[in-house]
Amino acid sequence: AAADGGSPSPAPAPAPRAAAAAGELGDPVPFSAVDESMVGKSVVVEGFVSAVKAPDPGTRRPYVLTLRNGTDGLDIKIWPDQYLQIPDRETLPGSAVRLKAAVKRYQNQVDLSLANGTDLRREAPATPVAGIVPEMAGRTATVRGTVAGVQPPKTDKAPWTVTLADPASGATLAVVYWDAARAAFARQPAEGDVFEFAGKVDVYDGKVQLKVSSGAKARYVPAGGDEPVPAPAPAAEPAARPRRAAVPVAEITAASDGQYATVEGALSGPSDLEGKGTSYKLSDASGSIVVVFWNTTVPDDLRQKAAAAKRVRVNGKVKDYKGTLEIVPGASGLEILE
């Protein structure tokens, strides 16, 4: 999806050093992945700081930082000596951060704590819409503006597109994201909302745009305040893409190569694809077909839940791989039915 370039400033914005530093911690994991299996390890998570609770005076208890990622939340303990290592700690609430925490077990529950104050990094401060220019392509930026429009995907592979505007300058910017990121938004953008997005600057069809890869990168900014508010989505959602009718597996033939198909059934026989994904066999009453879930599109935790389910729905592109037909779904192509 291309952006409406509007009236961008001729001077590039300064490089987002904070975001670059945050990347040194490693790639973040979904909040749902932080469980008993990670006890004894360190984990990188990111989101917006919704609150910091200080310990009662005279106690030896830690600070508790509450991190929000879409509708999910995590509490991270920070002991006073580590807390003092955090620059500008008084302004943490409302900040977008990435941090590395140690995963432990405390009172039979998973417990996260910051090992060092330097393991918490802030994302780059917000750049005006007009400050996002083509020269920034490939860099990470955080942008704030007013939602001037929301366009649903036109095809299965296309992203959602939000037109972000700066009423003062008249500049606009296309912000694009796919279903996997959208599903984790705490609030869906609507015209007139003020939103802050973080993503990678890209140039598509000669126009600059911002690509958002995670639900943690979208933040609704309420009127008169700058605190992240995980408000429920409005009743009137943007139009969703049409739901495809499922077909029997036996109807998918060599003639279906390159087309999209939806099938329903049970998964079996997982096979690792050299660490890049997992293939399964999906079976219904008419037959079986291979489905391929790549790591970049279908999270591992969702794959595991789907493999244990009685019935799933898969929508994806049919491909002939070395004489075997496969269905390869995108980010929103796997649904657990029962």
Side-chain angles (χ1 to χ4, degrees):
D4 180 354
S7 305
S9 167
R17 291 172 297 174
E24 297 171 3
L25 292 177
D27 295 328
V29 302
F31 286 8
S32 58
V34 183
D35 55 22
E36 290 280 347
S37 66
M38 289 194 170
V39 170
K41 303 177 182 178
S42 292
V43 61
V44 177
V45 291
E46 67 179 5
F48 289 98
V49 179
S50 63
V52 178
K53 183 181 179 182
D56 293 331
T59 68
R60 301 179 64 183
R61 301 183 64 82
Y63 289 79
V64 178
L65 180 148
T66 300
L67 199 63
R68 304 292 306 184
N69 184 328
T71 56
D72 297 329
L74 275 181
D75 286 341
I76 293 94
K77 292 179 179 178
I78 307 176
W79 297 98
D81 52 343
Q82 278 81 40
Y83 185 72
L84 293 175
Q85 297 174 351
I86 301 173
D88 301 321
R89 50 194 171 275
E90 298 82 4
T91 61
L92 274 175
S95 300
V97 303
R98 179 177 295 190
L99 60 84
K100 182 167 68 174
V103 184
K104 302 177 182 179
R105 186 182 292 106
Y106 177 72
Q107 293 184 347
N108 295 321
Q109 291 186 338
V110 174
D111 186 77
L112 283 82
S113 60
L114 198 69
N116 193 300
T118 59
D119 287 338
L120 185 149
R121 315 282 177 81
R122 297 181 193 241
E123 297 286 357
T127 300
V129 170
I132 304 300
V133 294
E135 290 82 358
M136 296 175 65
R139 285 159 50 182
T140 301
T142 300
V143 188
R144 178 181 295 186
T146 301
V147 177
V150 180
Q151 179 181 306
K154 294 181 179 179
T155 67
D156 285 328
K157 287 190 174 182
W160 291 78
T161 303
V162 165
T163 300
L164 209 60
D166 178 5
S169 68
T172 60
L173 173 72
V175 177
V176 299
Y177 49 84
W178 280 258
D179 286 338
R182 179 179 182 268
F185 286 5
R187 172 180 175 132
Q188 299 302 326
E191 287 191 32
D193 285 346
V194 176
F195 256 78
E196 194 169 276
F197 292 96
K200 182 173 287 188
V201 180
D202 185 36
V203 176
Y204 181 85
D205 251 359
K207 296 181 180 180
V208 68
Q209 64 180 16
L210 189 76
K211 296 174 71 173
V212 176
S213 61
S214 164
K217 304 294 189 179
R219 179 164 74 104
Y220 167 66
V221 180
D226 201 31
E227 295 295 321
V229 178
E237 283 284 326
R241 62 183 59 180
R243 186 178 177 87
R244 292 176 177 269
V247 299
V249 168
E251 291 186 11
I252 299 175
T253 65
S256 306
D257 187 19
Q259 301 178 9
Y260 281 85
T262 300
V263 292
E264 295 179 359
L267 298 178
S268 63
S271 178
D272 179 69
L273 301 176
E274 299 180 351
K276 297 179 180 179
T278 311
S279 68
Y280 292 84
K281 183 179 290 185
L282 184 145
S283 303
D284 65 8
S286 70
S288 301
I289 191 169
V290 174
V291 293
V292 175
F293 302 132
W294 297 115
N295 295 342
T296 54
T297 53
V298 182
D300 183 61
D301 58 339
L302 179 57
R303 276 179 271 168
Q304 292 182 18
K305 291 177 182 177
K310 294 181 179 179
R311 187 161 156 264
V312 301
R313 179 185 179 92
V314 173
N315 173 61
K317 193 171 186 177
V318 179
K319 295 185 179 180
D320 186 330
Y321 180 71
K322 295 183 178 180
T324 299
L325 290 177
E326 302 176 340
I327 295 182
V328 184
S332 60
L334 173 61
E335 180 183 352
I336 298 175
L337 300 179
E338 59 180 285

